[in-house]
Amino acid sequence: MKITLLKQIFFTVLVLSGVFLQAQTVTGKVTSGGQPLPGANVIVKGTTNGFSTDFDGNYILENVANDATIVVSYTGFLTQEVPVNGQSVINVVLEEDLNALDEVVVVGYGTQKRSEVTTAISTVSGKDIREIPVADVAQTLQGRAAGVSVINGGSPGEKTAVRIRGLGTFGDGDPLYVIDGVFTNSLNNIDPNSIKKIDVLKDAAAASIYGSRASNGVVIITTNRGAIGKTKFQVSSYIGTQSSNKRYDVLNTSQYVQYIKEINAQTDGGGTTINVVNDDPNFDGNGVETDWQDEFFRNAGMSNVSFNASGGTEKSTFSFGASTFSQEGVYTDTKFNRHTFNANSQFNVTNKFRVGETVSLGFTDRVAPQLSDGREPLFNLLASAPYTRVRNPDGSFSGSTDADNNNSRNQLRVQDSDDNLTRNTTIIGSLYGEYDIVEGLTFRSQLGVDIFYSQIDNILRAYDEGGQFSKADTNVTKIRNNQVQTIFTNSLNFKKTIAEKHNLDITAVYERLDLRFESVLGASTTDISSQIPELLNGVSSSRAEDEILISYLARVNYNYDGKYLFSSSIRRDKSSRFFGDEQEGFFPSASIGWVASKEGFLENHSIISNLKFTGSIGSTGNNKIQRNTFAQALGLTFNYPLNGQLQSGTGPTTAQNLDLTWEKSVKQNYGFELGLVDNKYTFSLDYYNNNNTDVLIDQPTIPSAGVPSGVISTNAAEIEVSGFDITFGYNDWEGDFKWNLWANVTTSDATVLSTGPNDQILRARYDPLDTNISRLAAGEPLNHFYGYVFDGVYSTNQDIIDDLGEDNLIGSDSNAAYLVQQGDARYRDINGDGDITAEDRVIIGDPNPDFIYSLNLRAEYKNFDFSALLVGVQGVDAFNGNIFNLESQENVLNRGTQVLNRWQQPGDITNVPRFRFGRNQNNAVSTRYIEDASYARLRNLDVGYSFKQDKLKGIFNGALTKVRFYVQALNLFTITDYSGLDPEIEPYYNATGIIEGTNIDRGRGPQPTTFLTGLQIEF
Amino acid sequence: MKKVFNLKVFTLLAFALCAVVISCDDDVEVANTNELNPSIFFENRAQLESASAALYAHLQTPGLYQRYGYILPDTFSDEMRPSGDPNFLPSYRFTLDASLVQTSDYWAQCYNGIAKSNFILDNEEKIRGNALISTSGFSEQDADNALGEAYFMRALHYWLLARRYGGVPLRVTQSVEGLPRSTEDETYALIIDDFDKASQLLFSKEATDEGRATQGAAYGMLGKVLLFRGRNAEAQTALSNVTGYSLLPEDQYKDNFNESGEFNDESMFEVVFSGDNNPSDTWAGNGQGIAEVTFHAQEYSGWGNARPSQKMIDEFETDDPRKAIAILEDGDAYGPGDAFTNTNGTIWYKFSQLYENETIVPEGSTNVRFLRYADVVLMKAEIEHNLGNDPVAINFLNELRNRFNLPEYGSAEMNARGYPVNTPNNVFKAIVHERMVELCAEQHRFDDLIRWNLDAQELEIDFEGNPRNYNPNVHRYMPVPQEEIDRNPNLGSGEVAAQNTGY
């Protein structure tokens, strides 16, 4: 038998040689509808011999065997195979793929045709992603997918908050990110240019395939793959500048000195003086006029270069790329840099067996805005005296003196002496093999890794501002975090069409995830030198955490003739985050669809080209809780002196909580999509309802349980989120002037149904006001603001007597909770008991928008292309903490010019209370801080020019296939009534990484306006 | 050949698939190697001693003997004359309500302490098992002692609760569920049972660390609780087991109230303070960290928030040397060698730091003398009286008078002073008098008055002669904390209502 086989091979080689001898050159033109198709792939089947058509659709293939077959392919068109049969000219007319809109959707552990999808999945193309020049891939989702809300951070490298169909948890609301089948959180370390597309799984029927981690939605990122054909090189680069020109209007030197003089003279509730002003009646600031905001803000540079090469043969395809990105912050000294490398390839070992790999390496470093003693930079910038210099004439930093009595730090000094540098190294990659066991049955095995290494260096150097503030010690803190996650995925997929109309697609998967996180922290303090950024005789600590998740899942997709669609899946997860029976959970889902436009009565309808109805229901989980929380922790510090010595005492600090489990969500989605006039007009509407139960909430323990921590996390709360995703598209991509637009509107109504046994939970502490800002209560919007209704300022004492009675006047010697005098804040006595108490607080704002929307516009005219993206948020309240910085008047820090209009004498009618020294009730949480933060923002505007193919022919022997220049502006304008620097308020993460309250403006940096020019070359 | 290759691959893959799906173990258990947890505890002597040290830590919190543990019983009594300080006034005026920190903190810290006992008792099997392993470094006797300490401290915390709130939820194993209130009888039954067990298990004081519970203390407390429950014969037996303690001689009497004399022969159980202080721990007051301080001296004698009442001063016989050791009046000499003169008005000298210092610091380190032998002698007297053995009772009373060479009860001089002991009622009056002067400012008086049913009579008027509005049907107990009522839905589901009468 072996001999026979050898003979056969020998014979084949002989025959092939003969064929080669008869090879010839084949030329031709590829067209469609009479128009040439540039960039189409033409290859000789079974060889590496291939060509991309030029601008006129022409190709030349040399050495083509007589009996060879050429394969012509082009995205959006049906691939054609043409036997050569000795012809030397073969013109090919490609038919447009009628399912051109029928992109392939990544549904997790498989793909599906868009037309057959019965669940809520939004897809964002690589083109859309590349268009927005930002660091974080997540930012590029803004406005691109219905149901996806994105809140950007202002400073470079800041984490972006992505919310899919609203927030349904009190904890971590981030979606699950999956890159080429690998779970990761290192989005900031990915080059957006390396991404082919992003699919967002929104409803349970789509997301439940990811089980206990899918409640917040799933974002599936697919990176670039090579395609069969000639190797393509792409280089793109841009360079630009960012600026933020909005400033708060604070007192200048003469205003501030005058203000201080008036405060010093004030007898009722003054109580503080600035000696430097008081001791010298002629003090005028010595001619110094420092605009601290201008000193700190800067025009910041930004640039990127990305390179990609891709190509392939029938045997193998590849794509590899590299990029370097650099962004400065508009806050002095802040920056984010990234270098990436990625490579994907696939080898067809046999026609049934394929192996491949994906690798993405990322290196980033980031310098974030530096807080000083917990104060945001803006706090210091607004509060610093304008007569204080940034630097002394000798170049050293200046600062507030004791005589100034202004405790603001010199923020430029802070930024200079204190460093925080975070460097992340990530590897996201996979190795896989696929084998077609029999036709339609494929086994796939993939080993994925997600490796994350983070180096955080924090150095607080010794300094001397020459006045009030100095520090003798240098503190060095170093944190080294290392996380290695491996994901071993094995799947069997069976696809078969029975009797031409029954389409069946069955998937079964086993997956095991192993994760280990290790962290080492070292810290040292020395007064010997501030020059050494290393740990000298430091102290250190470390911890390590493991996690295992073992899953089985199965999915069946069935459709009859593409008309009646059905899909169902179930996943079983077993997670080490929980104990005993709670480790295991099942997450089923089912969805159906009806493509009405394929029915006889609508087929070939003159207007309706697509009409599809879908409905789905399913269950998901959210397991994002701290590891090891179910176990009872022992504390070692219940100290007690025994035999005259302090002895360490050990006892439980937390309660064992073996019932702890994941949050559960039952999600429903009902929708339809409509295409009119050959899908020129498209419209879709989805209604969704997510019922989240077992929502984790910290609950005070019963005192008689004797738990020192006093809290226990329990699955006690319930949240319901419901709303609509609506999209509208218009497509006129024909003729000289082509254009299309796409718009979406999303509503999301998040209501807390239950907070467990608690009536309410107040959280999101805001230090300047010394209190919590956000509230959770049954039947009310998630994270609403809760406080007093501010009704202006008491003009006279008589107003107070009329309003509340004499017992509320300062000095009345009463037991009233609220003691005020003329010039103080007037809060509404909601319960009418003649006093202002905690009972008078009401809901004063809802940080959840009524709706968010976006408008995408794209057009081409001859060589010019144009695109614009408008994003907006409507009907949303924000707590503007800057109002405290500008108006609080509890001490002699500099304030906004509003204070010139403060109450000064009886009869004054104003909304700015008097100066009142010390923490006082004028600055209680009230409507005074609540503003409408609705906005519409031109997120992106770019105009490009591509050189004509014939112009390029003369350069580099015609190697160039595309040269495009463009100019671009990000955040060109923002329409808003919000008085803060930016109505898109950077989320604030607490110590455990949770966003406790939304839309609380703590004075974080704004998003800059960016102007860029860029160049894209392909060859 | 191609076919062979395919077959190989197929076999390989099939094998891999089987290996993956079938042989893969489904166990996701991971170890938590960062924190100490119960599964790796009680394995050596250091761990056992550390767990039992924690039993006492909650006594040092503001809810107990850093503050309210002495303020509450003292201000309820007629020994004190408080200032207007909000820590003192509501309890003195009997206007405590369920939301005040006085009642909630006291309750919570008792239960935090109980949880420490239950942590040890729940692990009894493991502790006893490890005691048999030589490498554990602790013996079966050590295990007994640690369990004894846990029983003792559980009983002690329930005793603190029962006297202030009546019947309370009885948590005898670690859990977080809300339990109903048990009856007062059930509560005391547990206390008696636990003290009884402790007395069987604990070391005597010579064999253990200074500060830990001892066998003598357990018998003393057992006798005390039995006396309160009217079980005099059993109390008599329990107290007869108290050995190895004695009354200090007169010249050492102040060692019962100062710092240098701590753990003397008369002292049976103390709440230990060392003055060590981490400011952030002090006020947090959850038993964790370094907060080994009491504010007693600062509050009572420094700031004068609780001064001796005139009734208290008048109770002393004029020649009783105990008065000068308990109370300082203006012009009185104090300090080492009586070197200083008091100008701070009438203040408590007991536990004031002033025996050894000129001034008072907030970081008080003077131990609370929770149980002293003088109390045992007085209890013995009362028990004998209750059992009808008045002559024996009088002998016990005279033990206390003899150390100061004060006239004995039964003597003509004592009769002349108005303390005859010719009738049982007079013997009882002598006991009342002797307890008041001997044990003043040691948190006994209020509970004594209730035991004797004299509370309504003695607490009728305040130090200025105005009504104190004391209602024995209400004010013998404090309100149950509102937090407990709000969070524990089962609290009132038993025989006892969630809240006490009148609140």
Side-chain angles (χ1 to χ4, degrees), chain A residues 599-615:
Chain A
E599 296 287 357
F601 57 89
L602 278 179
E603 213 162 15
N604 304 320
H605 193 274
S606 55
I607 295 172
I608 295 171
S609 40
N610 178 32
L611 179 61
K612 182 166 102 173
F613 298 91
T614 56

PDB file of all heavy atoms in Angstrom, chain A residues 599-615:
ATOM      1  N   GLU A 599     -41.296  36.023   4.122  1.00  0.00           N
ATOM      2  CA  GLU A 599     -42.567  35.363   3.851  1.00  0.00           C
ATOM      3  C   GLU A 599     -43.045  35.751   2.449  1.00  0.00           C
ATOM      4  O   GLU A 599     -42.717  36.838   1.945  1.00  0.00           O
ATOM      5  CB  GLU A 599     -43.619  35.787   4.878  1.00  0.00           C
ATOM      6  CG  GLU A 599     -43.300  35.371   6.307  1.00  0.00           C
ATOM      7  CD  GLU A 599     -43.477  33.876   6.548  1.00  0.00           C
ATOM      8  OE1 GLU A 599     -43.909  33.178   5.622  1.00  0.00           O
ATOM      9  OE2 GLU A 599     -43.152  33.405   7.654  1.00  0.00           O
ATOM     10  N   GLY A 600     -43.852  34.900   1.888  1.00  0.00           N
ATOM     11  CA  GLY A 600     -44.337  35.109   0.532  1.00  0.00           C
ATOM     12  C   GLY A 600     -44.969  36.480   0.334  1.00  0.00           C
ATOM     13  O   GLY A 600     -44.706  37.169  -0.646  1.00  0.00           O
ATOM     14  N   PHE A 601     -45.746  36.912   1.321  1.00  0.00           N
ATOM     15  CA  PHE A 601     -46.494  38.151   1.126  1.00  0.00           C
ATOM     16  C   PHE A 601     -45.609  39.389   1.160  1.00  0.00           C
ATOM     17  O   PHE A 601     -46.038  40.467   0.816  1.00  0.00           O
ATOM     18  CB  PHE A 601     -47.648  38.271   2.142  1.00  0.00           C
ATOM     19  CG  PHE A 601     -47.209  38.205   3.578  1.00  0.00           C
ATOM     20  CD1 PHE A 601     -46.842  39.366   4.246  1.00  0.00           C
ATOM     21  CD2 PHE A 601     -47.163  37.003   4.255  1.00  0.00           C
ATOM     22  CE1 PHE A 601     -46.458  39.309   5.566  1.00  0.00           C
ATOM     23  CE2 PHE A 601     -46.769  36.936   5.577  1.00  0.00           C
ATOM     24  CZ  PHE A 601     -46.409  38.102   6.249  1.00  0.00           C
ATOM     25  N   LEU A 602     -44.384  39.238   1.650  1.00  0.00           N
ATOM     26  CA  LEU A 602     -43.499  40.401   1.690  1.00  0.00           C
ATOM     27  C   LEU A 602     -42.287  40.244   0.783  1.00  0.00           C
ATOM     28  O   LEU A 602     -41.559  41.201   0.540  1.00  0.00           O
ATOM     29  CB  LEU A 602     -43.015  40.649   3.126  1.00  0.00           C
ATOM     30  CG  LEU A 602     -43.972  41.413   4.038  1.00  0.00           C
ATOM     31  CD1 LEU A 602     -43.363  41.569   5.423  1.00  0.00           C
ATOM     32  CD2 LEU A 602     -44.302  42.790   3.468  1.00  0.00           C
ATOM     33  N   GLU A 603     -42.087  39.020   0.322  1.00  0.00           N
ATOM     34  CA  GLU A 603     -40.919  38.778  -0.502  1.00  0.00           C
ATOM     35  C   GLU A 603     -40.993  39.656  -1.744  1.00  0.00           C
ATOM     36  O   GLU A 603     -42.045  39.806  -2.347  1.00  0.00           O
ATOM     37  CB  GLU A 603     -40.847  37.291  -0.894  1.00  0.00           C
ATOM     38  CG  GLU A 603     -39.420  36.828  -0.997  1.00  0.00           C
ATOM     39  CD  GLU A 603     -39.319  35.310  -0.935  1.00  0.00           C
ATOM     40  OE1 GLU A 603     -40.359  34.653  -1.097  1.00  0.00           O
ATOM     41  OE2 GLU A 603     -38.194  34.805  -0.731  1.00  0.00           O
ATOM     42  N   ASN A 604     -39.868  40.268  -2.059  1.00  0.00           N
ATOM     43  CA  ASN A 604     -39.792  41.168  -3.204  1.00  0.00           C
ATOM     44  C   ASN A 604     -40.769  42.343  -3.112  1.00  0.00           C
ATOM     45  O   ASN A 604     -41.236  42.870  -4.093  1.00  0.00           O
ATOM     46  CB  ASN A 604     -40.042  40.414  -4.521  1.00  0.00           C
ATOM     47  CG  ASN A 604     -39.065  39.263  -4.670  1.00  0.00           C
ATOM     48  OD1 ASN A 604     -37.878  39.414  -4.332  1.00  0.00           O
ATOM     49  ND2 ASN A 604     -39.554  38.129  -5.122  1.00  0.00           N
ATOM     50  N   HIS A 605     -41.091  42.697  -1.898  1.00  0.00           N
ATOM     51  CA  HIS A 605     -41.953  43.854  -1.680  1.00  0.00           C
ATOM     52  C   HIS A 605     -41.231  45.108  -2.163  1.00  0.00           C
ATOM     53  O   HIS A 605     -40.011  45.237  -2.021  1.00  0.00           O
ATOM     54  CB  HIS A 605     -42.280  43.970  -0.196  1.00  0.00           C
ATOM     55  CG  HIS A 605     -43.391  44.924   0.107  1.00  0.00           C
ATOM     56  ND1 HIS A 605     -43.173  46.259   0.271  1.00  0.00           N
ATOM     57  CD2 HIS A 605     -44.719  44.721   0.274  1.00  0.00           C
ATOM     58  CE1 HIS A 605     -44.326  46.858   0.533  1.00  0.00           C
ATOM     59  NE2 HIS A 605     -45.290  45.945   0.535  1.00  0.00           N
ATOM     60  N   SER A 606     -41.993  46.025  -2.744  1.00  0.00           N
ATOM     61  CA  SER A 606     -41.344  47.188  -3.361  1.00  0.00           C
ATOM     62  C   SER A 606     -40.722  48.101  -2.317  1.00  0.00           C
ATOM     63  O   SER A 606     -39.744  48.796  -2.580  1.00  0.00           O
ATOM     64  CB  SER A 606     -42.362  47.960  -4.191  1.00  0.00           C
ATOM     65  OG  SER A 606     -43.466  48.296  -3.371  1.00  0.00           O
ATOM     66  N   ILE A 607     -41.272  48.138  -1.134  1.00  0.00           N
ATOM     67  CA  ILE A 607     -40.742  49.071  -0.126  1.00  0.00           C
ATOM     68  C   ILE A 607     -40.020  48.320   0.985  1.00  0.00           C
ATOM     69  O   ILE A 607     -38.875  48.611   1.313  1.00  0.00           O
ATOM     70  CB  ILE A 607     -41.875  49.927   0.469  1.00  0.00           C
ATOM     71  CG1 ILE A 607     -42.448  50.825  -0.639  1.00  0.00           C
ATOM     72  CG2 ILE A 607     -41.337  50.786   1.613  1.00  0.00           C
ATOM     73  CD1 ILE A 607     -43.686  51.575  -0.240  1.00  0.00           C
ATOM     74  N   ILE A 608     -40.705  47.330   1.545  1.00  0.00           N
ATOM     75  CA  ILE A 608     -40.114  46.648   2.697  1.00  0.00           C
ATOM     76  C   ILE A 608     -39.079  45.633   2.227  1.00  0.00           C
ATOM     77  O   ILE A 608     -39.405  44.650   1.557  1.00  0.00           O
ATOM     78  CB  ILE A 608     -41.203  45.944   3.524  1.00  0.00           C
ATOM     79  CG1 ILE A 608     -42.142  47.001   4.113  1.00  0.00           C
ATOM     80  CG2 ILE A 608     -40.588  45.105   4.639  1.00  0.00           C
ATOM     81  CD1 ILE A 608     -43.372  46.424   4.763  1.00  0.00           C
ATOM     82  N   SER A 609     -37.836  45.880   2.539  1.00  0.00           N
ATOM     83  CA  SER A 609     -36.803  44.944   2.132  1.00  0.00           C
ATOM     84  C   SER A 609     -36.370  44.039   3.278  1.00  0.00           C
ATOM     85  O   SER A 609     -35.802  42.987   3.056  1.00  0.00           O
ATOM     86  CB  SER A 609     -35.609  45.692   1.552  1.00  0.00           C
ATOM     87  OG  SER A 609     -35.338  46.855   2.286  1.00  0.00           O
ATOM     88  N   ASN A 610     -36.610  44.461   4.492  1.00  0.00           N
ATOM     89  CA  ASN A 610     -36.238  43.632   5.633  1.00  0.00           C
ATOM     90  C   ASN A 610     -37.182  43.921   6.784  1.00  0.00           C
ATOM     91  O   ASN A 610     -37.432  45.082   7.110  1.00  0.00           O
ATOM     92  CB  ASN A 610     -34.785  43.915   6.065  1.00  0.00           C
ATOM     93  CG  ASN A 610     -34.382  43.111   7.287  1.00  0.00           C
ATOM     94  OD1 ASN A 610     -34.847  41.988   7.480  1.00  0.00           O
ATOM     95  ND2 ASN A 610     -33.535  43.690   8.122  1.00  0.00           N
ATOM     96  N   LEU A 611     -37.716  42.887   7.352  1.00  0.00           N
ATOM     97  CA  LEU A 611     -38.543  43.064   8.543  1.00  0.00           C
ATOM     98  C   LEU A 611     -38.359  41.832   9.404  1.00  0.00           C
ATOM     99  O   LEU A 611     -38.606  40.712   8.972  1.00  0.00           O
ATOM    100  CB  LEU A 611     -40.020  43.236   8.162  1.00  0.00           C
ATOM    101  CG  LEU A 611     -40.994  43.399   9.347  1.00  0.00           C
ATOM    102  CD1 LEU A 611     -40.672  44.640  10.173  1.00  0.00           C
ATOM    103  CD2 LEU A 611     -42.430  43.463   8.850  1.00  0.00           C
ATOM    104  N   LYS A 612     -37.871  42.084  10.605  1.00  0.00           N
ATOM    105  CA  LYS A 612     -37.577  40.953  11.486  1.00  0.00           C
ATOM    106  C   LYS A 612     -38.047  41.270  12.901  1.00  0.00           C
ATOM    107  O   LYS A 612     -37.860  42.387  13.376  1.00  0.00           O
ATOM    108  CB  LYS A 612     -36.067  40.675  11.480  1.00  0.00           C
ATOM    109  CG  LYS A 612     -35.655  39.488  12.333  1.00  0.00           C
ATOM    110  CD  LYS A 612     -34.240  39.051  12.042  1.00  0.00           C
ATOM    111  CE  LYS A 612     -33.284  39.545  13.094  1.00  0.00           C
ATOM    112  NZ  LYS A 612     -31.932  39.013  12.930  1.00  0.00           N
ATOM    113  N   PHE A 613     -38.665  40.296  13.521  1.00  0.00           N
ATOM    114  CA  PHE A 613     -39.089  40.442  14.916  1.00  0.00           C
ATOM    115  C   PHE A 613     -38.311  39.439  15.769  1.00  0.00           C
ATOM    116  O   PHE A 613     -38.112  38.303  15.361  1.00  0.00           O
ATOM    117  CB  PHE A 613     -40.585  40.151  15.068  1.00  0.00           C
ATOM    118  CG  PHE A 613     -41.447  41.093  14.299  1.00  0.00           C
ATOM    119  CD1 PHE A 613     -41.831  40.808  12.992  1.00  0.00           C
ATOM    120  CD2 PHE A 613     -41.875  42.291  14.872  1.00  0.00           C
ATOM    121  CE1 PHE A 613     -42.626  41.684  12.276  1.00  0.00           C
ATOM    122  CE2 PHE A 613     -42.668  43.168  14.158  1.00  0.00           C
ATOM    123  CZ  PHE A 613     -43.051  42.873  12.854  1.00  0.00           C
ATOM    124  N   THR A 614     -37.884  39.898  16.934  1.00  0.00           N
ATOM    125  CA  THR A 614     -37.155  38.982  17.826  1.00  0.00           C
ATOM    126  C   THR A 614     -37.647  39.130  19.261  1.00  0.00           C
ATOM    127  O   THR A 614     -38.178  40.176  19.648  1.00  0.00           O
ATOM    128  CB  THR A 614     -35.632  39.264  17.829  1.00  0.00           C
ATOM    129  OG1 THR A 614     -35.431  40.630  18.183  1.00  0.00           O
ATOM    130  CG2 THR A 614     -35.015  38.985  16.475  1.00  0.00           C
ATOM    131  N   GLY A 615     -37.446  38.091  20.017  1.00  0.00           N
ATOM    132  CA  GLY A 615     -37.761  38.130  21.439  1.00  0.00           C
ATOM    133  C   GLY A 615     -36.835  37.186  22.174  1.00  0.00           C
ATOM    134  O   GLY A 615     -36.473  36.128  21.641  1.00  0.00           O
TER     135      GLY A 615
END
